[in-house]
Amino acid sequence: MDHAADAHRTDLMTITRFVLNEQSKYPESRGDFTILLNHIVLGCKFVCSAVNKAGLAKLIGLAGETNGEEQKKLDVLSNEVFVKALVSSGRTCILISEEDEEATFVDPSKRGRYCVVFDPLDGSSNIDCGVSIGTIFGIYMIKDNHEPTLDDVLQPGKQMLAAGYCMYGSSCTLVLSTGEGVNGFTLDPSLGEFILTHPDIKIPKKGKIYSVNEGNAKNWDGPTAKYVEKCKFPKDGSSSKSLRYIGSMVADVHRTLLYGGIFLYPADKKSPSGKLRVLYEVFPMSFLMEQAGGQAFTGKQRALDLVPTKIHERSPIFLGSFDDVEDIKALYAAEGKKE
């Protein structure tokens, strides 16, 4: 038995230990935020397990009907898991989920100071082909003790306290920012704990990859079309960028964060307001990108300055390496001058 190795395994930086260390920097902290994050982490572990079981069931032909009942769809199950985990934390007051048309207002007896916006299972249509999918979340705080309303959550992304995503793929990875940089944690199945594996993630200033659904090219506006053309056929003698597009936002953004480059989901003639949702897709991912040293832009403004008016509002988004987003901003600025 390797006692030294076992001893080392007990000195790992778990996500719980990491968050408690962060909490200790604020003597006035009551631990509410730490408790809330622990409940989000628990939800991620549960969904990770459910995704793995569903994938295995598909592979060995057990999916479909179980005991005469249709197997609950994973996205619905994931939503129920997160709603229950968040409500039971006793620290939330409003929940906005991609799966629920209306906001969930927590019963006053279980109410806390935080509003959580989340997509419980982004990219769930990809599960049958084994592509990475994930949960995206963002956290706001109510400033005083008033009765919570939708205005408390219809805030610009720059007001978020924290944001993150959990990716369920070849490994289960949770990427989190509490406003002081970005850190990545990987689930160790033998311990049942998320371990810090990617400390202080910084996106490269410029990348070699662009990520976009080129099937929509005929409907793009001028600046997007020019930018993608520039990626393929640069006129300054530089190398062409490589195209990588998975079609699962969590997976595409995760790769962009680690390797650099740009992820685009522009507005087009078919979707003039863009396709991705502001509160629980655009804002959390933009928050993470900025915290890692990148940028996020809507085609008109900094993404985190956008003020949503509806809980399921959509927006175009361009996010990634600082210099790459600067290039698309310059093209939109030039277009604006023509008009």
Side-chain angles (χ1 to χ4, degrees):
M1 193 177 203
D2 191 341
H3 293 292
D6 284 347
H8 174 70
R9 279 166 66 78
T10 62
D11 192 35
L12 298 167
M13 179 61 79
T14 67
I15 193 164
T16 308
R17 183 176 160 196
F18 180 87
V19 172
L20 284 169
N21 283 357
E22 290 298 301
Q23 181 190 313
S24 67
K25 295 176 187 173
Y26 305 95
E28 73 285 1
S29 172
R30 301 184 311 192
D32 288 353
F33 187 63
T34 303
I35 290 167
L36 173 60
L37 280 175
N38 278 338
H39 279 252
I40 290 173
V41 167
L42 179 64
C44 291
K45 288 178 184 174
F46 193 101
V47 173
C48 179
S49 172
V51 167
N52 288 339
K53 282 177 188 166
L56 181 63
K58 290 274 184 192
L59 283 171
I60 58 179
L62 298 176
E65 300 206 338
T66 311
N67 298 330
E69 290 179 16
E70 193 178 324
Q71 195 178 45
K72 187 170 283 189
K73 287 187 88 173
L74 261 180
D75 44 9
V76 177
L77 171 67
S78 303
N79 189 50
E80 285 180 13
V81 165
F82 275 101
V83 169
K84 284 177 180 167
L86 292 166
V87 170
S88 68
S89 74
R91 302 300 186 274
T92 57
C93 53
I94 306 173
L95 309 179
I96 306 288
S97 168
E98 193 268 345
E99 287 291 320
D100 294 327
E101 209 169 309
E102 302 293 330
T104 299
F105 288 87
V106 179
D107 186 88
S109 65
K110 294 180 178 173
R111 196 173 282 170
R113 299 182 294 164
Y114 298 101
C115 308
V116 183
V117 294
F118 60 101
D119 186 344
L121 204 60
D122 183 75
S124 55
S125 60
N126 287 308
I127 192 160
D128 287 0
C129 59
V131 166
S132 296
I133 55 180
T135 299
I136 310 171
F137 61 90
I139 302 171
Y140 291 98
M141 185 173 77
I142 288 188
K143 296 289 188 288
D144 48 45
N145 292 326
H146 63 269
E147 189 68 20
T149 68
L150 279 184
D151 288 340
D152 291 309
V153 85
L154 292 173
Q155 300 282 338
K158 63 186 175 187
Q159 302 290 354
M160 277 185 172
L161 280 189
Y165 59 81
C166 189
M167 185 174 71
Y168 315 113
S170 54
S171 59
C172 181
T173 307
L174 197 152
V175 174
L176 174 71
S177 174
T178 56
E180 292 186 13
V182 182
N183 291 279
F185 304 81
T186 304
L187 185 63
D188 181 334
S190 66
L191 296 174
E193 287 278 9
F194 280 101
I195 308 299
L196 181 64
T197 50
H198 297 72
D200 196 21
I201 296 170
K202 295 289 181 205
I203 186 170
K205 197 156 184 285
K206 192 173 182 68
K208 297 175 180 173
I209 296 170
Y210 73 104
S211 184
V212 66
N213 182 354
E214 291 217 46
N216 294 329
K218 67 174 184 180
N219 296 316
W220 287 344
D221 63 13
T224 299
K226 281 179 192 161
Y227 180 77
V228 171
E229 187 72 5
K230 187 182 164 192
C231 289
K232 296 179 184 179
F233 307 104
K235 292 186 176 149
D236 59 1
S238 60
S239 300
S240 303
K241 287 189 188 297
S242 297
L243 169 65
R244 298 284 183 273
Y245 186 70
I246 298 164
S248 169
M249 189 191 191
V250 171
D252 279 314
V253 169
H254 186 67
R255 183 201 56 248
T256 305
L257 194 60
L258 295 184
Y259 299 163
I262 188 166
F263 170 82
L264 310 80
Y265 212 117
D268 58 32
K269 290 172 194 162
K270 209 166 54 175
S271 308
S273 300
K275 201 157 177 208
L276 297 177
R277 313 287 186 151
V278 173
L279 278 176
Y280 42 79
E281 290 177 322
V282 170
F283 278 172
M285 295 310 203
S286 299
F287 187 94
L288 290 166
M289 278 296 164
E290 286 201 5
Q291 285 293 319
Q295 290 195 79
F297 177 63
T298 67
K300 292 180 180 171
Q301 64 185 127
R302 174 192 178 207
L304 293 180
D305 286 340
L306 191 63
V307 183
T309 55
K310 301 191 293 288
I311 62 172
H312 297 298
E313 192 169 314
R314 300 173 192 265
S315 169
I317 187 66
F318 306 86
L319 53 79
S321 293
F322 193 95
D323 289 355
D324 292 321
V325 177
E326 276 297 300
D327 289 346
I328 193 90
K329 281 164 76 175
L331 288 167
Y332 272 99
E335 187 83 359
K337 282 176 189 166
K338 282 185 204 167
E339 293 168 6

